[in-house]
Amino acid sequence: MDQHLFYYYFLPFISFFFFFFFLFILSKFLLQIPQIHKNVPPTPLSLPIIGHLHLIQDPLHRVLHTLSLKYGHAFILRFGSRPVLVLSSSSLVEECVTHINVLEYQPCGPYCSPLSRPVKHDYASMIAAHYGPYWRKLRHVTTIELFSIRRLNTYSVVRQDETRTLIKSLMFGILHNNFTRVGLRPRLQDMSFNIITRIVSGKRIFGLEVDDLMADLNFRQMIMDMFKARARYPDELLSFMQWINIDDMKKTLLRLKAKKDACSKDLLDEFWKKDGVSNKEMIDGILSLQESLHENYSDHILKGIMLTLLLVGTDSSAATIEWAMSLLLNHPHVFQKVRAEVEENIGQGHLIQENDLHKLKYLQNIVNETLRLYPATPLFVPHESSNECTIGGYHIPHGTMLFVNTWAIHRDPKVWDGPTRFRPERFEGLCSKGYDYMPFGIGKKQGLGTGLANRVVAMALGSLIQCFDWERVRERLVDLNEAKGLTIIKNEPLEAMCKARECMFNVLSKVLDDS
């Protein structure tokens, strides 16, 4: 009987143990970077097949920061068989950009998953495109035709109008000029969405004034689904997980692609029906390019540009304003200081205009400090080494993916005094912090919407400070925990006590009369 139990229970256990031991040894040869005669970055202990995927948790930037404290500012992870270099030092980032310049995003490389195509519009967008002639073409369109100073000035009326709409929505929600509890996140998101959609297409998408409620809801749902998909299915894991098809991943991404195609087709079809080009919306500028250079600007490329603007430019500004208001509510002395600056430079006779923003230096410091503590994208858009190179004295093989932990660099105690403190004064007299401060990325892949985002955030934040008094809902500080995902947003939507300022009644009455 004992022999029977041995054969049926113990031998399978021994076989199972040796099988996984064999996989572990095999992974050391197949998955680990060859270290013979090469100085490679340190790496944590990995598991067979999956590499370091067991270490990946939300929020990812905090996990990578914790690992950097143990393994240094440059270390290697493995996502399956994919090597990933993680950098948490501004000097190493500077070395990559200024001296090496070989870390380029290559979505069509051997590790690319076909499942990532739907969320990247088949790599037609500038964010996903590999650096080269096609990428330079997209860069020219977005930089010269869409985000030039002249174009940004053209859209100032849109930003001013949507800021007024934000103020009106708060006025309608306040009862009898008393402190009233209001939710800021949906109002800020509507404002941010409408600014982008009006700039791109000339149409408001969200709000009570929108005629087509179903179009409003459908577009909102598409945007939210896209953000959820980016958080659930990061591109870096798709190539490893595509054979598993977790949660019907492929069906989900293809369904989102169909929604995106339908949305962009509707925009193009509507504007092709127009008699002439008004040159007031981005889509007009894009279509005029297509008319003159059709072979260079196909409908597929134009859809990729438009959807990049809609998806990338809509949520980050709202999140930054929400973080800034949360920090101001937790630091009343900072709020009073910026309120005094607004009173001194703007007064109470009119709302803040965009041409007033250059007078509000401390307000801009608050925006900068908010982006330092809570950059919208805490990790750079992933890049890839196109050749073997050396970074920080370490050998980096061809095909290594690069993660730059902006969040960790912004909180480096060797660079920033009291890095976790909210102290806008640290930016006084500073024109640039170089590679120590990169909320919108840096180098060739730097975000093109920086100028637009700064204007939107500063205008909206300044108007909220100028027009309303604010208090916390409770005596305890506003919760600053982050939600799960690849972008930094508050876990709990911000709610605050709001009251219109008596000294601004005349101005606010005019705003309501214009509605």
Side-chain angles (χ1 to χ4, degrees):
M1 184 67 179
D2 292 339
Q3 187 177 8
H4 178 78
L5 291 176
F6 175 81
Y7 282 114
Y8 278 88
Y9 292 96
F10 188 69
L11 278 184
F13 173 78
I14 293 296
S15 301
F16 188 77
F17 173 79
F18 278 104
F19 173 73
F20 273 92
F21 180 75
F22 171 75
L23 288 181
F24 178 78
I25 297 298
L26 184 63
S27 68
K28 290 297 180 180
F29 290 97
L30 297 182
L31 298 183
Q32 300 298 325
I33 299 174
Q35 301 188 23
I36 301 176
H37 306 304
K38 292 182 179 180
N39 182 28
V40 297
T43 181
L45 182 65
S46 63
L47 296 179
I49 307 299
I50 66 172
H52 296 100
L53 287 177
H54 64 289
L55 299 177
I56 304 305
Q57 301 175 10
D58 281 322
L60 180 57
H61 56 276
R62 289 185 178 270
V63 173
L64 297 180
H65 174 61
T66 301
L67 291 173
S68 71
L69 296 178
K70 182 177 182 180
Y71 295 100
H73 291 309
F75 61 93
I76 286 283
L77 294 179
R78 288 274 176 174
F79 290 173
S81 60
R82 184 68 183 267
V84 180
L85 172 66
V86 181
L87 299 182
S88 303
S89 166
S90 58
S91 60
L92 295 177
V93 176
E94 183 176 7
E95 184 178 349
C96 292
V97 175
T98 61
H99 300 301
I100 301 172
N101 202 29
V102 295
L103 293 169
E104 302 165 359
Y105 191 56
Q106 290 184 296
C108 297
Y111 296 100
C112 172
S113 166
L115 294 181
S116 62
R117 288 182 177 273
V119 293
K120 293 181 177 180
H121 203 71
D122 291 336
Y123 309 110
S125 71
M126 190 177 68
I127 295 176
H130 169 56
Y131 180 75
Y134 175 75
W135 180 88
R136 287 193 291 269
K137 181 194 303 181
L138 296 180
R139 180 82 176 189
H140 172 79
V141 174
T142 52
T143 304
I144 305 302
E145 302 295 338
L146 306 182
F147 285 117
S148 65
I149 298 297
R150 177 180 62 84
R151 282 285 186 181
L152 288 177
N153 291 336
T154 302
Y155 312 134
S156 62
V157 176
V158 172
R159 294 187 291 272
Q160 185 75 34
D161 188 40
E162 291 303 324
T163 302
R164 287 173 174 265
T165 301
L166 170 65
I167 294 173
K168 285 188 286 187
S169 72
L170 287 170
M171 290 293 293
F172 290 145
I174 295 175
L175 302 176
H176 308 297
N177 299 323
N178 294 322
F179 273 107
T180 306
R181 185 170 180 167
V182 297
L184 275 178
R185 178 175 293 180
R187 291 178 167 89
L188 295 174
Q189 288 179 336
D190 285 356
M191 179 200 70
S192 183
F193 278 126
N194 282 326
I195 288 175
I196 293 296
T197 54
R198 286 183 64 182
I199 286 175
V200 172
S201 67
K203 295 177 59 178
R204 298 187 82 246
I205 300 296
F206 303 130
L208 297 176
E209 301 172 12
V210 177
D211 295 330
D212 192 345
L213 179 60
M214 289 307 298
D216 177 339
L217 296 176
N218 290 337
F219 188 84
R220 183 192 297 267
Q221 189 60 46
M222 184 197 76
I223 296 291
M224 297 306 175
D225 287 346
M226 286 301 303
F227 284 125
K228 289 179 181 178
R230 294 291 294 114
R232 292 178 64 192
Y233 312 130
D235 308 324
E236 299 72 42
L237 307 184
L238 285 175
S239 58
F240 174 74
M241 299 198 315
Q242 57 182 314
W243 58 277
I244 304 177
N245 197 25
I246 295 177
D247 294 333
D248 294 323
M249 185 195 318
K250 186 174 182 178
K251 292 181 181 179
T252 300
L253 297 179
L254 290 176
R255 175 174 54 83
L256 290 176
K257 182 180 185 299
K259 286 185 178 182
K260 288 170 58 181
D261 288 344
C263 171
S264 55
K265 183 177 184 299
D266 290 343
L267 288 175
L268 284 176
D269 290 346
E270 178 178 345
F271 276 82
W272 271 124
K273 296 176 182 177
K274 293 171 61 177
D275 297 328
V277 176
S278 66
N279 205 36
K280 291 183 179 179
E281 292 89 25
M282 281 188 178
I283 194 171
D284 285 336
I286 295 173
L287 292 177
S288 64
L289 285 172
Q290 188 182 46
E291 287 181 328
S292 59
L293 300 168
H294 187 274
E295 68 281 2
N296 293 324
Y297 299 98
S298 64
D299 284 354
H300 184 70
I301 295 176
L302 302 189
K303 290 177 184 179
I305 294 174
M306 286 190 297
L307 289 171
T308 297
L309 295 172
L310 293 173
L311 295 173
V312 176
T314 48
D315 205 42
S316 57
S317 295
T320 301
I321 300 169
E322 186 179 26
W323 280 117
M325 285 299 299
S326 302
L327 291 166
L328 289 174
L329 288 170
N330 284 352
H331 299 82
H333 66 285
V334 177
F335 184 94
Q336 293 304 321
K337 185 173 180 178
V338 69
R339 166 72 62 79
E341 181 185 60
V342 172
E343 291 289 302
E344 179 181 354
N345 293 280
I346 310 301
Q348 303 166 358
H350 66 87
L351 292 178
I352 293 175
Q353 308 288 328
E354 277 200 4
N355 55 16
D356 294 324
L357 293 179
H358 72 279
K359 307 174 187 176
L360 305 176
K361 303 296 185 183
Y362 193 65
L363 175 65
Q364 187 58 57
N365 291 344
I366 291 174
V367 174
N368 291 338
E369 180 71 342
T370 302
L371 288 170
R372 183 188 70 84
L373 289 171
Y374 302 101
T377 51
L379 301 172
F380 275 17
V381 174
H383 290 57
E384 183 177 295
S385 58
S386 54
N387 297 293
E388 290 190 0
C389 60
T390 301
I391 299 176
Y394 294 118
H395 171 78
I396 308 300
H398 162 73
T400 300
M401 182 177 288
L402 171 70
F403 275 3
V404 174
N405 194 343
T406 308
W407 183 88
I409 293 174
H410 285 185
R411 294 170 180 245
D412 187 349
K414 296 180 180 179
V415 176
W416 305 94
D417 180 30
T420 61
R421 293 173 51 200
F422 176 64
R423 191 165 62 85
E425 290 79 6
R426 72 174 78 245
F427 283 92
E428 290 180 358
L430 293 179
C431 297
S432 173
K433 288 289 289 183
Y435 296 94
D436 297 326
Y437 179 71
M438 304 171 290
F440 300 101
I442 206 162
K444 297 171 183 176
K445 294 286 186 175
Q446 182 176 4
L448 290 175
T450 303
L452 176 62
N454 278 331
R455 296 185 187 205
V456 171
V457 172
M459 269 289 298
L461 186 61
S463 299
L464 295 177
I465 294 169
Q466 181 188 31
C467 297
F468 301 98
D469 289 322
W470 298 91
E471 291 183 356
R472 295 193 293 266
V473 173
R474 305 173 186 85
E475 289 188 7
R476 68 171 182 264
L477 297 178
V478 175
D479 181 79
L480 298 179
N481 288 324
E482 304 161 13
K484 295 182 179 180
L486 298 181
T487 59
I488 296 185
I489 60 174
K490 276 175 51 59
N491 187 45
E492 294 183 6
L494 177 61
E495 291 186 337
M497 305 302 293
C498 177
K499 182 179 75 171
R501 299 180 66 201
E502 292 185 9
C503 60
M504 294 295 293
F505 275 179
N506 291 336
V507 174
L508 294 175
S509 297
K510 294 179 182 178
V511 172
L512 293 176
D513 291 340
D514 293 338
S515 60

